[in-house]
């Protein structure tokens, strides 16, 4: 029997840690739970939202409707001559999944080590780090549609993966729950070492010809050193996305600000480091009531204790305004605001 609870605190279920209540909340561990939860919501006319590990959600007020907390676990693998196809239940912990595959000797997820969250949320914003996006290993997923009760299969072409986006973050937001994701990993590693931090870490480890495990260890080590641990200080990772601008805009910007870190993309656009822009505007380490900007990574907003969502949004808007005034660039939020 499904245990639907009422007026449940959600703050501790998110890494930012701002307090809010869910009108109704339920933990689902399998498909039958999900069907029953959705039937309950339909019966009462409630909107539904899925919560994974809450590492990319900022709570700004109580949440009406039903919050479906995803604990759907599963791992099933199928190995062919060169590839491994692994179907993960969407409630699997992402980093545990990465660690498991790396220790099996399978390659493809290693650059994405230590990203918090569930497997089911990974396609949502097409998670990425150190030059790799989940899209590069994605094979297919299954999503349960709340309105029709249908389970539909999505291959990569259906997902419209882009830079920290997908159809699940846009058109299908809050309309489906991703229930499983299948990744295709390789027995024949194609390693990505294009990011300076990874190269420097490998050099510090005296590794010249890295293995999949070496890259994984290097990423874990850099991330542990550089990024704020949500268990110690509340945060949701990068609060904003790195802006991607046209090459003409980039040339004009670089004429005025020649030191902006910028990365030309394959399609001719140019990605600009948002953290650098924020830092140049003097925000690194700044405080705003109980929240603030992290003192080592200006792209991360933090909860110093007791911050409420509205004051975090106020800080974010102040940052957006000053970056727009100084550089003429509009920063777009990456975090999902509830
Ligand atoms: P949640 O925060 O619970 O949910 C995020 C959104 O996805 C919500 O809108 C939710 O409704 C929706 N959602 C969740 N699960 C499902 C599902 N099964 N079906 C449909 N919708 C769903 N992100 C990166 O891309 N790269 C990084 O390197 C990275 N580093 C981070 C470092 C830190 C310290 C932190 C705190 C965050 C970081 N993130 C990073 C952001 C975050 O980890 C990812 O976005 C992650 O995929 C979120 O997973 P989650 O389970 O916590 O999702
Ligand atoms: P970093 O290495 O200091 O680099 C700053 C920014 O420059 C990054 O955002 C990155 O863009 C870009 N960059 C750096 N080297 C690049 C290269 N060789 N080619 C293209 N772009 C390059 O960044 P960091 O803050 O320490 O984070 C390291 C990695 O973890 C990044 O990939 C970042 O996206 C990821 N991360 C993401 C989150 C999140 O919440 N989304 C949180 C923490 C870390 P990209 O962001 O596009 O890679």
């Amino acid at each position: 029997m499904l245990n639907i609870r009422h007026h449940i605190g959600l703050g501790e279920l998110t890494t930012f840690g701002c307090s809010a209540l869910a009108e109704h909340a339920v933990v689902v561990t399998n498909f039958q739970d999900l069907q029953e939860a959705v039937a309950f919501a339909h019966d009462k006319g409630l909107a539904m939202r899925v919560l994974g590990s809450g590492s990319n959600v900022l709570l700004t007020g109580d949440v009406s409707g039903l919050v479906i907390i995803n604990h759907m676990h599963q791992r099933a693998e199928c190995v062919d001559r060169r590839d491994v196809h692994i179907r993960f239940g969407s409630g699997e912990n992402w980093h545990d999944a990465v660690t498991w595959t790396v220790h099996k000797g399978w390659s493809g997820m290693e650059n994405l080590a230590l990203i918090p969250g569930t497997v089911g949320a990974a396609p949502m914003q097409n998670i990425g780090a150190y030059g790799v996006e989940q899209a590069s290993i994605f094979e297919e997923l299954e999503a349960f549609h709340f309105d029709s009760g249908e389970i539909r299969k999505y291959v990569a072409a259906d997902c419209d993966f882009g830079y920290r986006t997908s159809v699940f973050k846009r058109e299908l937001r809050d309309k489906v729950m991703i229930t499983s994701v299948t990744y295709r990993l390789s027995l024949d590693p194609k390693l990505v070492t294009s990011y300076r931090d990874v190269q420097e870490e490998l050099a510090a480890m005296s590794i010249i010809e890295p293995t999949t495990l070496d890259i994984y260890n290097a990423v874990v080590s850099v991330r542990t050193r550089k990024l704020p641990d949500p268990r110690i200080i509340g945060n949701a990772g990068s609060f904003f996305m790195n802006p991607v601008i046209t090459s003409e805009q980039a040339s004009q910007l670089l004429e005025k600000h020649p030191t902006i870190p910028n990365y030309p993309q394959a399609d001719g656009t140019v990605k600009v480091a948002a953290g650098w822009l924020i830092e140049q505007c003097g925000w690194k380490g700044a405080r705003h009531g109980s929240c603030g900007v992290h003192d080592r990574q200006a792209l991360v907003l933090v909860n110093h204790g007791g911050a409420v969502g509205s004051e975090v949004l106020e800080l974010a808007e102040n940052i957006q305004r000053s970056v727009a005034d100084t550089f003429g660039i509009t920063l777009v939020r990456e975090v999902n605001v509830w």
Side-chain angles (χ1 to χ4, degrees):
M1 179 71 181
L2 207 55
N3 183 13
I4 296 185
R5 297 187 298 154
H6 314 283
H7 307 294
I8 291 301
L10 288 180
E12 287 182 2
L13 301 180
T14 70
T15 58
F16 220 112
C18 297
S19 298
L21 294 179
E23 188 185 4
H24 310 277
V26 64
V27 172
V28 298
T29 59
N30 56 44
F31 188 64
Q32 195 187 332
D33 285 355
L34 176 59
Q35 280 182 312
E36 283 179 34
V38 171
F40 168 84
H42 281 163
D43 197 40
K44 300 255 182 295
L46 302 172
M48 286 167 265
R49 277 176 171 176
V50 182
L51 186 67
S53 305
S55 64
N56 210 5
V57 168
L58 174 71
L59 298 168
T60 58
D62 292 346
V63 180
S64 59
L66 177 66
V67 175
I68 299 173
I69 301 168
N70 183 10
H71 286 193
M72 288 174 79
H73 295 281
Q74 182 205 10
R75 284 179 196 177
E77 75 223 49
C78 162
V79 183
D80 62 29
R81 268 193 308 152
R82 293 172 46 221
D83 293 331
V84 188
H85 311 263
I86 312 158
R87 179 188 158 108
F88 290 104
S90 60
E92 288 281 323
N93 175 276
W94 177 266
H95 176 66
D96 290 349
V98 174
T99 304
W100 178 70
T101 62
V102 167
H103 286 118
K104 288 271 197 180
W106 303 332
S107 181
M109 291 178 121
E110 56 280 1
N111 291 53
L112 304 176
L114 226 55
I115 298 181
T118 51
V119 168
M124 161 87 180
Q125 73 155 12
N126 185 23
I127 59 168
Y130 302 101
V132 172
E133 289 177 345
Q134 68 86 49
S136 68
I137 49 167
F138 178 88
E139 191 156 277
E140 63 179 36
L141 62 75
E142 287 182 328
F144 181 93
H145 283 246
F146 294 142
D147 55 355
S148 63
E150 266 179 283
I151 289 247
R152 286 189 214 154
K153 203 167 260 194
Y154 289 78
V155 296
D158 306 320
C159 299
D160 200 15
F161 290 128
Y163 184 58
R164 303 291 188 270
T165 190
S166 75
V167 71
F168 306 102
K169 190 158 183 176
R170 299 188 313 268
E171 296 86 338
L172 294 178
R173 175 189 284 276
D174 300 331
K175 295 194 168 87
V176 302
M177 172 164 165
I178 296 168
T179 51
S180 73
V181 188
T182 303
Y183 288 109
R184 185 177 56 248
L185 303 184
S186 181
L187 300 171
D188 173 21
K190 292 171 198 71
L191 305 178
V192 178
T193 56
S194 52
Y195 274 45
R196 199 174 64 191
D197 276 354
V198 173
Q199 291 165 2
E200 288 180 356
E201 194 64 30
L202 290 169
M205 292 154 71
S206 307
I207 289 165
I208 294 156
E209 285 188 31
T211 61
T212 303
L213 180 61
D214 293 331
I215 306 269
Y216 167 90
N217 285 333
V219 167
V220 168
S221 168
V222 173
R223 289 187 74 110
T224 306
R225 192 171 61 244
K226 272 188 83 173
L227 296 171
D229 181 345
R231 288 169 304 186
I232 296 167
I233 184 161
N235 75 89
S238 304
F239 201 89
F240 304 101
M241 290 190 266
N242 288 317
V244 179
I245 58 179
T246 64
S247 59
E248 293 76 30
Q249 285 172 311
S251 309
Q252 285 168 13
L253 198 64
L254 282 162
E255 242 173 61
K256 275 204 220 156
H257 310 280
T259 53
I260 294 187
N262 66 98
Y263 302 92
Q265 306 294 288
D267 62 1
T269 58
V270 179
K271 183 178 68 183
V272 178
W276 189 91
L277 303 176
I278 297 169
E279 187 175 341
Q280 295 305 302
C281 294
W283 287 102
K284 198 174 189 178
R287 266 190 96 128
H288 176 78
S290 305
C291 60
V293 180
H294 192 251
D295 57 5
R296 272 176 290 140
Q297 171 48 284
L299 198 48
V300 178
L301 304 192
V302 294
N303 180 355
H304 288 292
V308 291
S310 56
E311 85 186 309
V312 179
L313 277 189
E314 209 172 75
L315 170 63
E317 281 160 17
N318 292 342
I319 292 171
Q320 284 168 309
R321 212 169 300 122
S322 69
V323 168
D325 290 348
T326 311
F327 298 105
I329 287 183
T330 307
L331 291 182
V332 175
R333 283 195 309 249
E334 180 178 307
V335 169
N336 302 281
V337 174
W338 280 22

